[in-house]
mmCIF file of all heavy atoms in Angstrom:
data_model
loop_
_atom_site.group_PDB
_atom_site.id
_atom_site.type_symbol
_atom_site.label_atom_id
_atom_site.label_comp_id
_atom_site.label_asym_id
_atom_site.label_seq_id
_atom_site.Cartn_x
_atom_site.Cartn_y
_atom_site.Cartn_z
ATOM 1 N N ALA A 72 -9.064 61.844 -52.664
ATOM 2 C CA ALA A 72 -7.615 62.043 -52.769
ATOM 3 C C ALA A 72 -6.927 61.802 -51.429
ATOM 4 O O ALA A 72 -5.859 61.179 -51.375
ATOM 5 C CB ALA A 72 -7.313 63.457 -53.272
ATOM 6 N N PHE A 73 -7.523 62.263 -50.351
ATOM 7 C CA PHE A 73 -6.954 62.076 -49.022
ATOM 8 C C PHE A 73 -6.832 60.583 -48.704
ATOM 9 O O PHE A 73 -5.777 60.102 -48.281
ATOM 10 C CB PHE A 73 -7.823 62.771 -47.972
ATOM 11 C CG PHE A 73 -7.345 62.576 -46.559
ATOM 12 C CD1 PHE A 73 -6.383 63.400 -46.020
ATOM 13 C CD2 PHE A 73 -7.868 61.552 -45.767
ATOM 14 C CE1 PHE A 73 -5.944 63.215 -44.705
ATOM 15 C CE2 PHE A 73 -7.443 61.365 -44.468
ATOM 16 C CZ PHE A 73 -6.472 62.203 -43.936
ATOM 17 N N LEU A 74 -7.911 59.844 -48.914
ATOM 18 C CA LEU A 74 -7.907 58.411 -48.615
ATOM 19 C C LEU A 74 -6.935 57.661 -49.523
ATOM 20 O O LEU A 74 -6.234 56.742 -49.070
ATOM 21 C CB LEU A 74 -9.317 57.842 -48.739
ATOM 22 C CG LEU A 74 -10.325 58.368 -47.711
ATOM 23 C CD1 LEU A 74 -11.733 57.923 -48.074
ATOM 24 C CD2 LEU A 74 -9.959 57.924 -46.313
ATOM 25 N N ALA A 75 -6.893 58.037 -50.794
ATOM 26 C CA ALA A 75 -5.968 57.379 -51.725
ATOM 27 C C ALA A 75 -4.526 57.602 -51.287
ATOM 28 O O ALA A 75 -3.704 56.692 -51.348
ATOM 29 C CB ALA A 75 -6.192 57.900 -53.138
ATOM 30 N N ARG A 76 -4.227 58.798 -50.820
ATOM 31 C CA ARG A 76 -2.854 59.085 -50.374
ATOM 32 C C ARG A 76 -2.488 58.248 -49.150
ATOM 33 O O ARG A 76 -1.383 57.718 -49.052
ATOM 34 C CB ARG A 76 -2.691 60.571 -50.071
ATOM 35 C CG ARG A 76 -1.266 60.925 -49.687
ATOM 36 C CD ARG A 76 -1.093 62.430 -49.561
ATOM 37 N NE ARG A 76 0.247 62.777 -49.186
ATOM 38 C CZ ARG A 76 1.191 63.131 -50.029
ATOM 39 N NH1 ARG A 76 0.943 63.162 -51.313
ATOM 40 N NH2 ARG A 76 2.392 63.448 -49.592
ATOM 41 N N VAL A 77 -3.415 58.112 -48.222
ATOM 42 C CA VAL A 77 -3.143 57.323 -47.019
ATOM 43 C C VAL A 77 -2.889 55.862 -47.386
ATOM 44 O O VAL A 77 -1.920 55.245 -46.924
ATOM 45 C CB VAL A 77 -4.296 57.450 -46.002
ATOM 46 C CG1 VAL A 77 -4.121 56.475 -44.846
ATOM 47 C CG2 VAL A 77 -4.383 58.868 -45.471
ATOM 48 N N VAL A 78 -3.732 55.293 -48.235
ATOM 49 C CA VAL A 78 -3.553 53.876 -48.607
ATOM 50 C C VAL A 78 -2.324 53.713 -49.502
ATOM 51 O O VAL A 78 -1.632 52.698 -49.441
ATOM 52 C CB VAL A 78 -4.827 53.275 -49.238
ATOM 53 C CG1 VAL A 78 -4.971 53.629 -50.693
ATOM 54 C CG2 VAL A 78 -4.847 51.772 -49.072
ATOM 55 N N TRP A 79 -2.017 54.704 -50.320
ATOM 56 C CA TRP A 79 -0.828 54.656 -51.173
ATOM 57 C C TRP A 79 0.417 54.572 -50.294
ATOM 58 O O TRP A 79 1.307 53.769 -50.543
ATOM 59 C CB TRP A 79 -0.788 55.908 -52.056
ATOM 60 C CG TRP A 79 0.352 55.956 -53.016
ATOM 61 C CD1 TRP A 79 1.557 56.556 -52.830
ATOM 62 C CD2 TRP A 79 0.403 55.363 -54.312
ATOM 63 N NE1 TRP A 79 2.351 56.392 -53.936
ATOM 64 C CE2 TRP A 79 1.668 55.667 -54.860
ATOM 65 C CE3 TRP A 79 -0.495 54.628 -55.063
ATOM 66 C CZ2 TRP A 79 2.045 55.251 -56.123
ATOM 67 C CZ3 TRP A 79 -0.113 54.215 -56.334
ATOM 68 C CH2 TRP A 79 1.142 54.520 -56.841
ATOM 69 N N ARG A 80 0.458 55.386 -49.260
ATOM 70 C CA ARG A 80 1.618 55.370 -48.356
ATOM 71 C C ARG A 80 1.716 54.043 -47.597
ATOM 72 O O ARG A 80 2.810 53.517 -47.414
ATOM 73 C CB ARG A 80 1.561 56.544 -47.393
ATOM 74 C CG ARG A 80 1.736 57.874 -48.086
ATOM 75 C CD ARG A 80 2.348 58.890 -47.151
ATOM 76 N NE ARG A 80 2.541 60.159 -47.802
ATOM 77 C CZ ARG A 80 3.629 60.491 -48.500
ATOM 78 N NH1 ARG A 80 4.593 59.624 -48.649
ATOM 79 N NH2 ARG A 80 3.737 61.677 -49.044
ATOM 80 N N ALA A 81 0.579 53.496 -47.182
ATOM 81 C CA ALA A 81 0.584 52.192 -46.509
ATOM 82 C C ALA A 81 1.091 51.114 -47.467
ATOM 83 O O ALA A 81 1.866 50.230 -47.075
ATOM 84 C CB ALA A 81 -0.812 51.849 -45.995
ATOM 85 N N ALA A 82 0.678 51.191 -48.724
ATOM 86 C CA ALA A 82 1.134 50.212 -49.718
ATOM 87 C C ALA A 82 2.628 50.379 -49.996
ATOM 88 O O ALA A 82 3.346 49.383 -50.152
ATOM 89 C CB ALA A 82 0.322 50.361 -51.006
ATOM 90 N N LEU A 83 3.099 51.621 -50.061
ATOM 91 C CA LEU A 83 4.538 51.850 -50.250
ATOM 92 C C LEU A 83 5.338 51.248 -49.104
ATOM 93 O O LEU A 83 6.384 50.634 -49.324
ATOM 94 C CB LEU A 83 4.831 53.351 -50.342
ATOM 95 C CG LEU A 83 4.620 54.017 -51.681
ATOM 96 C CD1 LEU A 83 4.846 55.530 -51.565
ATOM 97 C CD2 LEU A 83 5.502 53.430 -52.749
ATOM 98 N N ASP A 84 4.851 51.414 -47.884
ATOM 99 C CA ASP A 84 5.530 50.828 -46.724
ATOM 100 C C ASP A 84 5.596 49.311 -46.846
ATOM 101 O O ASP A 84 6.629 48.700 -46.564
ATOM 102 C CB ASP A 84 4.817 51.221 -45.428
ATOM 103 C CG ASP A 84 4.967 52.698 -45.095
ATOM 104 O OD1 ASP A 84 5.848 53.364 -45.686
ATOM 105 O OD2 ASP A 84 4.188 53.191 -44.254
ATOM 106 N N ARG A 85 4.501 48.706 -47.277
ATOM 107 C CA ARG A 85 4.478 47.244 -47.437
ATOM 108 C C ARG A 85 5.440 46.815 -48.536
ATOM 109 O O ARG A 85 6.130 45.808 -48.417
ATOM 110 C CB ARG A 85 3.074 46.751 -47.782
ATOM 111 C CG ARG A 85 2.194 46.706 -46.597
ATOM 112 C CD ARG A 85 0.996 45.805 -46.850
ATOM 113 N NE ARG A 85 0.437 45.508 -45.560
ATOM 114 C CZ ARG A 85 0.829 44.515 -44.790
ATOM 115 N NH1 ARG A 85 1.748 43.694 -45.179
ATOM 116 N NH2 ARG A 85 0.284 44.327 -43.614
ATOM 117 N N ARG A 86 5.453 47.566 -49.640
ATOM 118 C CA ARG A 86 6.337 47.213 -50.757
ATOM 119 C C ARG A 86 7.798 47.335 -50.340
ATOM 120 O O ARG A 86 8.611 46.470 -50.663
ATOM 121 C CB ARG A 86 6.052 48.096 -51.966
ATOM 122 C CG ARG A 86 6.848 47.660 -53.190
ATOM 123 C CD ARG A 86 6.446 48.391 -54.416
ATOM 124 N NE ARG A 86 6.991 49.731 -54.373
ATOM 125 C CZ ARG A 86 6.901 50.591 -55.360
ATOM 126 N NH1 ARG A 86 6.257 50.276 -56.456
ATOM 127 N NH2 ARG A 86 7.425 51.796 -55.252
ATOM 128 N N LYS A 87 8.142 48.377 -49.586
ATOM 129 C CA LYS A 87 9.523 48.548 -49.126
ATOM 130 C C LYS A 87 9.922 47.382 -48.219
ATOM 131 O O LYS A 87 11.021 46.856 -48.336
ATOM 132 C CB LYS A 87 9.684 49.870 -48.387
ATOM 133 C CG LYS A 87 9.707 51.057 -49.293
ATOM 134 C CD LYS A 87 9.787 52.349 -48.500
ATOM 135 C CE LYS A 87 9.598 53.545 -49.387
ATOM 136 N NZ LYS A 87 9.474 54.796 -48.623
ATOM 137 N N ALA A 88 9.034 46.985 -47.331
ATOM 138 C CA ALA A 88 9.328 45.861 -46.439
ATOM 139 C C ALA A 88 9.526 44.577 -47.243
ATOM 140 O O ALA A 88 10.400 43.774 -46.944
ATOM 141 C CB ALA A 88 8.199 45.679 -45.424
ATOM 142 N N ARG A 89 8.722 44.413 -48.280
ATOM 143 C CA ARG A 89 8.817 43.221 -49.120
ATOM 144 C C ARG A 89 10.119 43.222 -49.904
ATOM 145 O O ARG A 89 10.745 42.182 -50.084
ATOM 146 C CB ARG A 89 7.612 43.168 -50.061
ATOM 147 C CG ARG A 89 7.487 41.883 -50.815
ATOM 148 C CD ARG A 89 6.187 41.783 -51.554
ATOM 149 N NE ARG A 89 6.082 42.852 -52.545
ATOM 150 C CZ ARG A 89 4.970 43.126 -53.196
ATOM 151 N NH1 ARG A 89 3.875 42.455 -52.967
ATOM 152 N NH2 ARG A 89 4.949 44.087 -54.086
ATOM 153 N N LEU A 90 10.556 44.388 -50.385
ATOM 154 C CA LEU A 90 11.777 44.474 -51.180
ATOM 155 C C LEU A 90 13.020 44.159 -50.372
ATOM 156 O O LEU A 90 13.969 43.601 -50.884
ATOM 157 C CB LEU A 90 11.911 45.858 -51.817
ATOM 158 C CG LEU A 90 10.917 46.162 -52.935
ATOM 159 C CD1 LEU A 90 11.090 47.606 -53.415
ATOM 160 C CD2 LEU A 90 11.061 45.203 -54.090
ATOM 161 N N VAL A 91 13.020 44.514 -49.085
ATOM 162 C CA VAL A 91 14.182 44.205 -48.264
ATOM 163 C C VAL A 91 14.096 42.791 -47.697
ATOM 164 O O VAL A 91 14.988 42.356 -47.000
ATOM 165 C CB VAL A 91 14.390 45.229 -47.121
ATOM 166 C CG1 VAL A 91 14.699 46.591 -47.673
ATOM 167 C CG2 VAL A 91 13.224 45.269 -46.179
ATOM 168 N N GLY A 92 13.000 42.085 -47.993
ATOM 169 C CA GLY A 92 12.882 40.693 -47.587
ATOM 170 C C GLY A 92 12.353 40.477 -46.194
ATOM 171 O O GLY A 92 12.583 39.432 -45.604
ATOM 172 N N VAL A 93 11.666 41.460 -45.638
ATOM 173 C CA VAL A 93 11.136 41.323 -44.294
ATOM 174 C C VAL A 93 9.626 41.436 -44.348
ATOM 175 O O VAL A 93 9.100 42.439 -44.797
ATOM 176 C CB VAL A 93 11.695 42.431 -43.362
ATOM 177 C CG1 VAL A 93 11.105 42.316 -41.978
ATOM 178 C CG2 VAL A 93 13.202 42.359 -43.322
ATOM 179 N N ALA A 94 8.953 40.415 -43.892
ATOM 180 C CA ALA A 94 7.500 40.487 -43.795
ATOM 181 C C ALA A 94 7.155 41.131 -42.465
ATOM 182 O O ALA A 94 7.864 40.969 -41.477
ATOM 183 C CB ALA A 94 6.880 39.099 -43.891
ATOM 184 N N GLU A 95 6.063 41.865 -42.430
ATOM 185 C CA GLU A 95 5.671 42.581 -41.219
ATOM 186 C C GLU A 95 5.476 41.629 -40.047
ATOM 187 O O GLU A 95 5.851 41.907 -38.927
ATOM 188 C CB GLU A 95 4.382 43.356 -41.494
ATOM 189 C CG GLU A 95 4.022 44.310 -40.393
ATOM 190 C CD GLU A 95 2.850 45.164 -40.790
ATOM 191 O OE1 GLU A 95 3.020 46.039 -41.639
ATOM 192 O OE2 GLU A 95 1.764 44.927 -40.239
ATOM 193 N N ASP A 96 4.906 40.469 -40.296
ATOM 194 C CA ASP A 96 4.643 39.533 -39.215
ATOM 195 C C ASP A 96 5.759 38.500 -39.048
ATOM 196 O O ASP A 96 5.627 37.559 -38.286
ATOM 197 C CB ASP A 96 3.296 38.836 -39.427
ATOM 198 C CG ASP A 96 3.247 38.040 -40.726
ATOM 199 O OD1 ASP A 96 4.254 38.050 -41.474
ATOM 200 O OD2 ASP A 96 2.215 37.411 -40.993
ATOM 201 N N GLY A 97 6.871 38.672 -39.782
ATOM 202 C CA GLY A 97 7.991 37.758 -39.653
ATOM 203 C C GLY A 97 7.846 36.479 -40.463
ATOM 204 O O GLY A 97 8.708 35.624 -40.435
ATOM 205 N N ALA A 98 6.755 36.337 -41.193
ATOM 206 C CA ALA A 98 6.534 35.134 -41.993
ATOM 207 C C ALA A 98 7.443 35.161 -43.220
ATOM 208 O O ALA A 98 7.934 36.200 -43.635
ATOM 209 C CB ALA A 98 5.070 35.046 -42.422
ATOM 210 N N GLU A 99 7.630 33.997 -43.814
ATOM 211 C CA GLU A 99 8.426 33.920 -45.034
ATOM 212 C C GLU A 99 7.678 34.619 -46.167
ATOM 213 O O GLU A 99 6.465 34.570 -46.242
ATOM 214 C CB GLU A 99 8.654 32.460 -45.425
ATOM 215 C CG GLU A 99 9.608 31.738 -44.520
ATOM 216 C CD GLU A 99 9.884 30.335 -45.015
ATOM 217 O OE1 GLU A 99 9.868 30.120 -46.235
ATOM 218 O OE2 GLU A 99 10.108 29.478 -44.170
ATOM 219 N N LEU A 100 8.445 35.237 -47.035
ATOM 220 C CA LEU A 100 7.846 35.909 -48.179
ATOM 221 C C LEU A 100 7.609 34.908 -49.301
ATOM 222 O O LEU A 100 8.310 33.912 -49.425
ATOM 223 C CB LEU A 100 8.762 37.027 -48.666
ATOM 224 C CG LEU A 100 8.978 38.153 -47.671
ATOM 225 C CD1 LEU A 100 9.977 39.153 -48.240
ATOM 226 C CD2 LEU A 100 7.673 38.844 -47.366
ATOM 227 N N ARG A 101 6.621 35.236 -50.120
ATOM 228 C CA ARG A 101 6.297 34.375 -51.257
ATOM 229 C C ARG A 101 7.365 34.516 -52.331
ATOM 230 O O ARG A 101 7.840 35.606 -52.607
ATOM 231 C CB ARG A 101 4.946 34.786 -51.854
ATOM 232 C CG ARG A 101 3.797 34.526 -50.934
ATOM 233 C CD ARG A 101 2.542 35.135 -51.498
ATOM 234 N NE ARG A 101 2.570 36.599 -51.496
ATOM 235 C CZ ARG A 101 2.380 37.340 -50.425
ATOM 236 N NH1 ARG A 101 2.159 36.792 -49.265
ATOM 237 N NH2 ARG A 101 2.393 38.649 -50.502
ATOM 238 N N VAL A 102 7.719 33.419 -52.966
ATOM 239 C CA VAL A 102 8.617 33.427 -54.098
ATOM 240 C C VAL A 102 7.801 32.946 -55.294
ATOM 241 O O VAL A 102 7.275 31.834 -55.291
ATOM 242 C CB VAL A 102 9.830 32.499 -53.865
ATOM 243 C CG1 VAL A 102 10.726 32.488 -55.078
ATOM 244 C CG2 VAL A 102 10.591 32.927 -52.629
ATOM 245 N N LEU A 103 7.690 33.799 -56.278
ATOM 246 C CA LEU A 103 6.878 33.471 -57.437
ATOM 247 C C LEU A 103 7.722 32.820 -58.518
ATOM 248 O O LEU A 103 8.855 33.213 -58.766
ATOM 249 C CB LEU A 103 6.225 34.730 -57.997
ATOM 250 C CG LEU A 103 5.293 35.474 -57.048
ATOM 251 C CD1 LEU A 103 4.818 36.754 -57.717
ATOM 252 C CD2 LEU A 103 4.116 34.606 -56.685
ATOM 253 N N ASP A 104 7.149 31.841 -59.183
ATOM 254 C CA ASP A 104 7.781 31.212 -60.322
ATOM 255 C C ASP A 104 7.460 32.062 -61.544
ATOM 256 O O ASP A 104 6.299 32.206 -61.923
ATOM 257 C CB ASP A 104 7.237 29.791 -60.498
ATOM 258 C CG ASP A 104 7.956 29.031 -61.599
ATOM 259 O OD1 ASP A 104 8.867 29.603 -62.231
ATOM 260 O OD2 ASP A 104 7.608 27.860 -61.811
ATOM 261 N N VAL A 105 8.484 32.653 -62.142
ATOM 262 C CA VAL A 105 8.258 33.577 -63.247
ATOM 263 C C VAL A 105 8.292 32.890 -64.616
ATOM 264 O O VAL A 105 8.111 33.543 -65.631
ATOM 265 C CB VAL A 105 9.281 34.736 -63.235
ATOM 266 C CG1 VAL A 105 9.065 35.605 -62.013
ATOM 267 C CG2 VAL A 105 10.698 34.217 -63.275
#
Side-chain angles (χ1 to χ4, degrees):
F73 177 85
L74 294 170
R76 183 173 179 96
V77 171
V78 81
W79 182 266
R80 293 208 179 272
L83 278 175
D84 291 345
R85 282 199 163 273
R86 186 172 76 174
K87 285 177 189 172
R89 189 171 62 190
L90 290 176
V91 296
V93 178
E95 190 173 288
D96 61 359
E99 288 185 32
L100 296 176
R101 293 172 292 283
V102 178
L103 300 175
D104 185 0
V105 294

